[in-house]
């Protein structure tokens, strides 16, 4: 017979998350050092981060860290969810949960309004987004809506300049919160995208075909009240020594919020869940300014950062 924690996990996967958490809560009320309590705490923390309840997940991971100080990533995840800067992780666990940094109310109202006008006034210039198709001569951009369905505005003029300056200025903060050693930025890509009704982006890594990308960022802006559901960002636990590996069922869900920025390591596998916008209007889309911060080719070739990240 399966144990209670296994049963709770099955309930969660079946869509009965409240019932699953009730089962687990009964188990965690026992001796906090018992194997049953520790297992239930871990399953509770994982479920909570899968549904995006990050404050509650942090509390569960903090309890888990107290019960099992040698747990490979309990304290690590609690720190991330509490928004604390990290000492570079040396935990020998793979796949490793993806670190990230969230900044709420990121832009001043005038800048935010400038982006809202961009989405409104240049709606007709957005084109179907592409993904890179590897070939013998390099990556070729192709439209593959089964993988990535959204619309992109590649040229955003002076907006790209001031947004890029803000990103570069705050790079030390981003790196210290994202488990990435310091590096000198060589290039910062900046693009605008819109996710309208039915749009999504399947699981992918920003770095597999672009090895100099170190950090990815996404700034969200949309009408209020929020005119859509879905469009969540899922950050998957990703391999350390083998960055092509990921855990299919261990991820952190981050809900999109107007005027917020999220930054995460470019090698972390992630996806955007399907957007449901009942009006179907382009103005009710999930808009983003997003991009990637590159290290220099020489810095990447030296292997200094790679070696530090996998020790």
């Amino acid at each position: 017979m399966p144990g209670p924690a296994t049963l709770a996990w099955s309930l969660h996967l079946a869509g009965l998350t409240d019932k699953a958490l009730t089962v687990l809560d009964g188990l965690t009320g026992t001796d906090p050092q018992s194997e049953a309590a520790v297992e239930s705490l871990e399953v509770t923390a994982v479920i909570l981060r899968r549904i995006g309840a990050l404050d509650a997940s942090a509390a569960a991971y903090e309890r888990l860290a107290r019960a099992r100080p040698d747990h490979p990533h309990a304290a690590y995840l609690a720190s991330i969810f509490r928004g604390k800067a990290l000492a570079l992780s040396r935990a020998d666990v793979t796949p490793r949960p993806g670190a990230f940094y969230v900044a709420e109310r990121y832009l001043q109202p005038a800048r935010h309004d400038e982006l809202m006008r961009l989405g409104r006034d240049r709606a007709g210039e957005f084109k179907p987004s592409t993904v890179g198709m590897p070939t013998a001569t390099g990556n070729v951009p192709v439209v593959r809506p089964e993988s990535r369905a959204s619309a992109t505005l590649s040229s955003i003029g002076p907006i790209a300049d001031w947004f890029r300056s803000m990103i570069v200025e705050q790079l030390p903060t981003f790196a210290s919160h994202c488990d990435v050693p310091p590096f000198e930025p060589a290039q910062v890509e900046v693009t605008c995208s819109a996710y309208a009704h039915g749009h999504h982006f399947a699981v992918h890594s920003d770095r597999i075909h672009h090895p100099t990308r170190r950090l990815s960022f996404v700034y969200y802006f949309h009408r209020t009240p929020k005119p859509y559901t879905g469009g969540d960002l899922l950050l998957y636990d990703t391999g350390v020594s083998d960055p092509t590996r990921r855990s299919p069922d261990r991820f952190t869900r981050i809900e999109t919020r107007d005027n917020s920025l999220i930054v995460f390591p470019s090698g972390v596998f992630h996806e955007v869940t399907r957007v449901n916008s009942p009006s179907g209007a382009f103005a009710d889309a999930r808009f983003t300014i997003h991009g990637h911060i590159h290290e220099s080719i020489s810095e990447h070739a030296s292997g200094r950062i790679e070696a530090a990240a996998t020790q």
Side-chain angles (χ1 to χ4, degrees), residues 68-83:
R68 290 289 188 274
D70 60 344
H71 191 280
H73 59 247
Y76 178 74
L77 273 172
S79 295
I80 293 169
F81 296 167
R82 296 299 191 196

Side-chain angles (χ1 to χ4, degrees), residues 58-139:
Y61 277 119
E62 287 164 349
R63 291 177 62 191
L64 182 58
R66 289 194 295 270
R68 290 289 188 274
D70 60 344
H71 191 280
H73 59 247
Y76 178 74
L77 273 172
S79 295
I80 293 169
F81 296 167
R82 296 299 191 196
K84 298 177 181 177
L86 298 168
L88 190 66
S89 174
R90 293 291 186 267
D92 185 18
V93 55
T94 187
R96 179 185 294 166
F100 61 90
Y101 174 77
V102 175
E104 304 281 359
R105 296 181 292 277
Y106 185 65
L107 295 181
Q108 294 297 319
R111 289 299 196 191
H112 175 270
D113 292 346
E114 183 179 356
L115 295 183
M116 293 298 294
R117 291 193 299 272
L118 175 75
R120 180 194 66 204
D121 298 342
R122 298 182 61 186
E125 299 177 43
F126 283 77
K127 305 299 182 185
S129 300
T130 62
V131 296
M133 180 66 68
T135 69
T137 56
N139 288 314

Side-chain angles (χ1 to χ4, degrees), residues 3-23:
T6 301
L7 173 61
W9 181 252
S10 298
L11 289 170
H12 165 63
L13 295 181
L16 302 173
T17 297
D18 288 345
K19 184 173 290 188
L21 292 173
T22 298
V23 170

Side-chain angles (χ1 to χ4, degrees), residues 138-158:
N139 288 314
V140 175
V142 296
V143 176
R144 296 186 63 186
E146 69 276 15
S147 299
R148 183 187 188 188
S150 61
T152 298
L153 183 64
S154 297
S155 176
I156 55 176

Side-chain angles (χ1 to χ4, degrees), residues 270-283:
H270 57 284
E271 73 171 295
V272 177
T273 64
R274 185 183 186 276
V275 170
N276 178 35
S277 180
S279 75
F282 186 78

